[in-house]
Amino acid sequence: MTLCPCGSDKPLSECCGPIIAGSPAPTAEALMRSRYSAFVTHQLDHIERSHAPEIREDFNRAEAERMAEECEWQGLEIRSATEDGDSAEVEFVIRFSRQNKDMIQLERSSFRRENGEWLYVGGEINPQGPQRVVNKVGRNDPCPCGSGKKAKKCCGTTTVLD
Amino acid sequence: MVAKLGAVFTLPNRKQLATMIVPTAYLPANLPCPALGADKLCTIHVNKPLRCRTMPFYPYREEQYQAELLKFPGDWLCDTSDAAPIVFADKRITLRDDFDQERQALEQQTAQIQRYADYMLKYTPNLLNSLVKASLSNKVGQVVTSLSSFLTASRNPAAKQIAQMQLPVLEHYQLQTANHQQWHEFNQHYQMSAKEMGFLANRDLG
């Protein structure tokens, strides 16, 4: 039994294998995992097939084939996966080594469901998180805890805990 | 002129970098041109590329500044005697057919060059870092990209045939540069490129 390269601890034949062979992926995350496994097992037809139509012709298959062959794939880690109707985002980390150099790639990929099939639309490498906004609460503003009191009379007071 | 004929990249520090995107005979400087004959003459003179024809003039530069390109380094074998034709006078090139043709060809391809720049930026975000690094170099900085990326970006319908012609050349230079420390980087590029061209050459597009 071959364990699935995607790290699911399931056999390849019960995880990414059928998706690589052409079965529709049930979720965007499952498609993402199968695309990684397709790289590891050098089955790049699946990569090409699961591209959204608008990026299909941009795919440099020759380069992808070379990378698949040259890299030693060390693992996939899914950081987050969110689906919203027919669109989805998956954030993941791939570890691999190339010419004895360890590499790491963080990517946020977007996916779209068309006729019931998830497709890869694009990816942002080393994405920036959403910008953090710090709200300043003035002493006389209503307290953010919702008590209705002024901040200085509520959570804004310095409380000394015994 | 470079910005007009090439592509302009916006760097992370918001500075703009004008970049030429040119095909290159990717050869170590100390290896001779593959088309150089034993008699030291060009073996493809009749059909040689526009870039070779225009030498030493260089249409990426304004015409009035071409004169300084006529200062030949010692190992050039050009005729500089009084019998040689006058090629530049009054800030104008006098024998100018080749120069005009190359300039025109460069102007016609600007849309394609911009498309390639956009493509590379979209799919190779690390390119900007390489460009920044190259721009800091004392000499003219260079970043080498791959033929496969250009063939893909330009949707070249003859990619397979081009790859079939490239493959034996790459294999030849791979052998010639093997086990030479000074050519290590070239050798690696030939290897990588041969793999990619090998795939394209054998691809069944049925």
Side-chain angles (χ1 to χ4, degrees), chain B residues 5-49:
Chain B
L5 297 175
V8 178
F9 291 96
T10 305
L11 302 179
N13 61 7
R14 293 189 199 159
K15 280 199 180 139
Q16 299 219 306
L17 182 66
T19 311
M20 291 194 293
I21 298 179
V22 295
T24 173
Y26 186 70
L27 295 169
N30 47 1
L31 281 185
C33 172
L36 187 68
D39 55 2
K40 295 276 178 196
L41 291 176
C42 176
T43 54
I44 55 163
H45 183 70
V46 188
N47 301 311
K48 68 183 177 186

Side-chain angles (χ1 to χ4, degrees), chain B residues 5-201:
Chain B
L5 297 175
V8 178
F9 291 96
T10 305
L11 302 179
N13 61 7
R14 293 189 199 159
K15 280 199 180 139
Q16 299 219 306
L17 182 66
T19 311
M20 291 194 293
I21 298 179
V22 295
T24 173
Y26 186 70
L27 295 169
N30 47 1
L31 281 185
C33 172
L36 187 68
D39 55 2
K40 295 276 178 196
L41 291 176
C42 176
T43 54
I44 55 163
H45 183 70
V46 188
N47 301 311
K48 68 183 177 186
L50 281 177
R51 183 74 288 276
C52 304
R53 286 182 183 279
T54 314
M55 287 295 278
F57 296 128
Y58 191 55
Y60 280 97
R61 191 188 265 239
E62 298 286 357
E63 185 170 353
Q64 52 178 322
Y65 302 123
Q66 299 285 327
E68 50 196 275
L69 300 168
L70 286 165
K71 291 170 194 154
F72 300 129
D75 55 345
W76 285 42
L77 299 175
C78 306
D79 181 8
T80 52
S81 71
D82 285 347
I86 291 176
V87 293
F88 191 84
D90 299 327
K91 297 187 175 177
R92 297 272 293 164
I93 296 172
T94 45
L95 290 174
R96 52 179 310 117
D97 286 1
D98 295 334
F99 181 86
D100 286 342
Q101 266 187 40
E102 193 186 357
R103 172 67 71 75
Q104 201 186 357
L106 293 174
E107 281 166 356
Q108 278 168 1
Q109 67 172 18
T110 49
Q112 197 179 26
I113 291 295
Q114 190 57 54
R115 267 204 307 279
Y116 181 57
D118 294 343
Y119 173 89
M120 288 305 285
L121 210 52
K122 182 171 172 193
Y123 293 102
T124 324
N126 201 29
L127 178 72
L128 275 188
N129 293 333
S130 309
L131 284 172
V132 172
K133 232 177 171 178
S135 72
L136 299 174
S137 150
N138 288 331
K139 292 183 262 173
V140 176
Q142 291 188 329
V143 175
V144 178
T145 62
S146 67
L147 179 58
S148 71
S149 65
F150 187 72
L151 293 176
T152 308
S154 58
R155 313 273 193 265
N156 195 311
K160 184 172 175 155
Q161 290 87 320
I162 292 171
Q164 281 166 348
M165 289 192 285
Q166 280 284 301
L167 195 55
V169 180
L170 289 162
E171 283 166 350
H172 168 78
Y173 276 101
Q174 205 179 315
L175 281 178
Q176 200 169 347
T177 53
N179 307 317
H180 285 279
Q181 194 49 43
Q182 54 162 341
W183 293 332
H184 179 70
E185 204 183 317
F186 284 90
N187 187 262
Q188 294 239 304
H189 266 279
Y190 296 139
Q191 260 185 50
M192 279 163 51
S193 206
K195 274 185 200 165
E196 297 186 357
M197 290 302 119
F199 174 80
L200 286 178

Side-chain angles (χ1 to χ4, degrees), chain A:
Chain A
M1 181 192 85
T2 315
L3 269 184
C4 193
C6 83
S8 62
D9 284 334
K10 284 193 264 180
L12 178 61
S13 58
E14 290 170 26
C15 185
C16 297
I19 303 175
I20 294 172
S23 312
T27 61
E29 181 184 334
L31 179 67
M32 198 280 122
R33 286 176 172 278
S34 71
R35 283 169 57 88
Y36 172 77
S37 297
F39 257 103
V40 179
T41 55
H42 301 187
Q43 300 182 79
L44 300 198
D45 279 349
H46 176 57
I47 304 285
E48 201 155 5
R49 198 175 344 106
S50 56
H51 276 143
E54 67 269 25
I55 61 162
R56 217 162 269 172
E57 281 195 83
D58 278 353
F59 180 50
N60 186 348
R61 174 81 182 252
E63 184 186 64
E65 291 279 349
R66 174 174 64 75
M67 292 296 280
E69 185 195 311
E70 281 178 2
C71 296
E72 213 172 288
W73 304 95
Q74 290 160 347
L76 166 73
E77 180 195 324
I78 304 283
R79 288 275 171 92
S80 71
T82 48
E83 273 182 33
D84 179 15
D86 284 336
S87 62
E89 275 193 349
V90 180
E91 208 173 291
F92 58 91
V93 179
I94 290 175
R95 291 184 172 77
F96 58 99
S97 71
R98 196 171 153 246
Q99 291 162 353
N100 293 322
K101 259 193 250 168
D102 285 335
M103 317 274 252
I104 188 163
Q105 178 171 321
L106 172 67
E107 183 176 330
R108 188 195 297 142
S109 293
S110 42
F111 296 85
R112 184 173 76 225
R113 189 159 44 192
E114 250 179 42
N115 306 321
E117 270 192 54
W118 283 105
L119 297 169
Y120 174 82
V121 178
E124 199 187 334
I125 294 175
N126 297 324
Q128 309 265 320
Q131 207 170 8
R132 281 189 196 146
V133 183
V134 179
N135 282 324
K136 272 201 172 164
V137 182
R139 279 166 49 78
N140 289 316
D141 292 339
C143 188
C145 80
S147 64
K149 293 183 192 166
K150 285 184 178 181
K152 66 181 179 189
K153 294 277 185 197
C154 184
C155 305
T157 40
T158 317
T159 323
V160 181
L161 293 172
D162 297 321

